[in-house]
Amino acid sequence: MTSFDTSPQLNVWRALLALAVVFVMLATTGWTALRAHPDSAPLRVSLSSWEHGRLHGHRLPDPQAAPALLTRFFAGLTARERASLAHRYPLAVGNMNGAPVPLRYRANRIALTEQRDLERARTHDSRLSPAGQQVAGRRMHRYEALLAPGRQILAFDPQGSGRVAEVFGDLPRAERVSVVVPGVDTDLLTFQKTSRRYTAPVGMATSLYAAERAASPATRTAVIAWADYTAPAGLGIDSATAMRAEEGAVRLNALVRALPGRASVSLFCHSYGSVVCGVAAHALPRRVSDIAVAASPGMRVANASRLRTSARVWAMRDADDWIQDVPYLEVGGFGHGADPVSPAFGARVLSAHGARGHSGYFEPGTESLRNFAEIGVGAYRSVHCARQDQACDTELSGTGTAGRA
């Protein structure tokens, strides 16, 4: 007879109960947030206009075509023709994988200017409530900030809560590219913060970029703050399932495949962003050399080998991160699977010394940030493994580069 404590069926019911308790607590404390995510209307309009557009009497290529085909199309145009397309279809060109990176920056600057002017008008629109006018004002100021000289906006979609991606460094000439994939509550308005700046994508990316340059001044690096997916809002049903991660994984894969050159790419995935990276892993191109996760609720697999990636898999979590109290399981679509820092998962577990809480991994001076930077520049012998992960230490001391997970 199976004992009460070891019954597999009972353990499943306990897991379900634990998840139910978590969701009830979140809902009753006001954290659970369900919201509709409408299609990207302005972007869709711009893409539709592109699809019906002509250049010298010829139809324009499919905006969803392979990046290589679109790259060849733009390469065959004059500078004036490229600029004309950016002005006529700014959102389409600004989000077009395969379009030249500088042209995307230029197109998104045009789109941001148009959206800023629209939001400025909305701040005085009497048909809006005071709260609506206030939101319009916040969005207007965000667009103004993104339009500051020197900012390089790689993607921009104003619809709904908004999506955006920004580049730090010279992306076309980079020898190593890092992509920061953030988690819940990431949108246009939270893309950058003044208070607790390193908890937002821009702060994470600028901190990582500075740390990479310090780690290897001779290496040309670029870092992308990638908030170009619709992240879950709050710790609710969306964040407990893979729906947003599946949508994000498609977009992440498209980004990586469209990056210029042949630079090695490292993904740095925080919180729910690690779910996105886990879902995307099997389809990512081989130029992705590393997938590093921090504060992960799971990667939708039982162990690293199930990710089906040639990339090295790294994981870290600081001792006071609340994410460790989330049930590491997947039942009926809820939960995200095994704990990536557990020995059984098979990732290389890194030290997060100095990090504090759930969002402190990119703070300057932390070992978590230094480890990310060493991975970003390919200096694998310099990373510091967690004390309990002897396998990580052994592999790094025995080879010039870390072995593939």
Side-chain angles (χ1 to χ4, degrees):
M1 183 174 179
T2 304
S3 72
F4 183 82
D5 289 334
T6 61
S7 165
Q9 294 87 352
L10 181 59
N11 287 336
V12 169
W13 280 110
R14 280 176 171 166
L16 287 170
L17 179 60
L19 283 172
V21 169
V22 170
F23 295 141
V24 168
M25 289 177 64
L26 294 175
T28 55
T29 55
W31 289 1
T32 301
L34 297 176
R35 64 180 177 183
H37 298 278
D39 292 337
S40 303
L43 177 56
R44 189 173 66 243
V45 169
S46 186
L47 287 170
S48 178
S49 297
W50 171 281
E51 290 168 349
H52 292 89
R54 296 287 190 277
L55 184 65
H56 303 315
H58 300 286
R59 293 189 63 180
L60 298 173
D62 182 351
Q64 304 299 328
L69 186 152
L70 292 169
T71 298
R72 289 194 296 272
F73 166 74
F74 282 103
L77 303 179
T78 65
R80 177 172 292 185
E81 288 169 338
R82 288 192 290 269
S84 175
L85 291 176
H87 277 275
R88 286 162 59 189
Y89 316 105
L91 278 173
V93 174
N95 290 277
M96 194 173 293
N97 290 318
V101 168
L103 188 66
R104 291 181 66 171
Y105 297 160
R106 183 173 184 175
N108 283 319
R109 180 166 289 274
I110 295 168
L112 280 162
T113 301
E114 292 177 350
Q115 293 299 316
R116 179 201 59 190
D117 294 345
L118 285 174
E119 294 298 341
R120 178 181 289 130
R122 283 166 52 82
T123 62
H124 304 291
D125 190 337
S126 61
R127 294 170 298 180
L128 295 179
S129 66
Q133 292 175 342
Q134 185 177 34
V135 170
R138 291 179 63 198
R139 292 175 73 95
M140 179 191 71
H141 290 305
R142 171 61 68 229
Y143 297 149
E144 287 178 340
L146 292 173
L147 283 166
R151 299 196 74 165
Q152 303 177 132
I153 307 304
L154 186 66
F156 167 60
D157 181 357
Q159 182 63 27
S161 57
R163 297 194 295 245
V164 62
E166 183 172 9
V167 174
F168 301 90
D170 189 341
L171 183 58
R173 296 181 63 248
E175 298 170 319
R176 305 277 306 192
V177 176
S178 298
V179 182
V180 174
V181 183
V184 300
D185 287 330
T186 298
D187 56 30
L188 192 67
L189 294 179
T190 61
F191 184 59
Q192 182 174 2
K193 297 179 181 178
T194 302
S195 175
R196 301 178 68 235
R197 59 179 296 192
Y198 301 114
T199 67
V202 169
M204 292 176 178
T206 54
S207 182
L208 179 59
Y209 182 55
E212 288 182 350
R213 296 180 70 185
S216 181
T219 303
R220 294 194 305 270
T221 63
V223 179
I224 303 173
W226 189 76
D228 194 27
Y229 81 106
T230 303
L235 301 177
I237 300 299
D238 272 2
S239 64
T241 67
M243 181 174 67
R244 298 297 169 204
E246 289 167 354
E247 296 169 354
V250 172
R251 301 184 66 83
L252 180 60
N253 200 319
L255 166 83
V256 173
R257 292 184 178 278
L259 291 175
R262 298 182 179 180
S264 178
V265 178
S266 299
L267 305 181
F268 298 94
C269 321
H270 177 255
S271 193
Y272 189 84
S274 66
V275 185
V276 177
C277 292
V279 175
H282 75 280
L284 293 169
R286 290 189 62 84
R287 70 184 297 186
V288 176
S289 59
D290 301 275
I291 301 174
V293 303
S296 176
M299 300 180 75
R300 303 297 294 184
V301 292
N303 54 62
S305 65
R306 298 285 184 88
L307 292 171
R308 293 182 288 150
T309 177
S310 61
R312 304 169 185 88
V313 181
W314 312 83
M316 68 169 70
R317 185 175 65 221
D318 72 71
D320 58 355
D321 190 335
W322 59 261
I323 200 72
Q324 63 191 308
D325 297 322
V326 170
Y328 281 98
L329 48 83
E330 189 276 321
V331 180
F334 290 98
H336 301 301
D339 183 355
V341 302
S342 67
F345 190 82
R348 293 173 177 82
V349 182
L350 298 167
S351 169
H353 182 71
R356 294 290 181 268
H358 186 63
S359 302
Y361 296 89
F362 291 85
E363 287 279 348
T366 59
E367 202 157 85
S368 52
L369 177 63
R370 285 194 293 271
N371 275 329
F372 280 167
E374 301 291 3
I375 291 169
V377 299
Y380 301 111
R381 281 182 177 271
S382 299
V383 303
H384 292 170
C385 299
R387 291 193 184 95
Q388 71 273 19
D389 193 4
Q390 295 180 348
C392 175
D393 281 317
T394 300
E395 288 196 31
L396 293 180
S397 61
T399 61
T401 60
R404 297 279 180 166

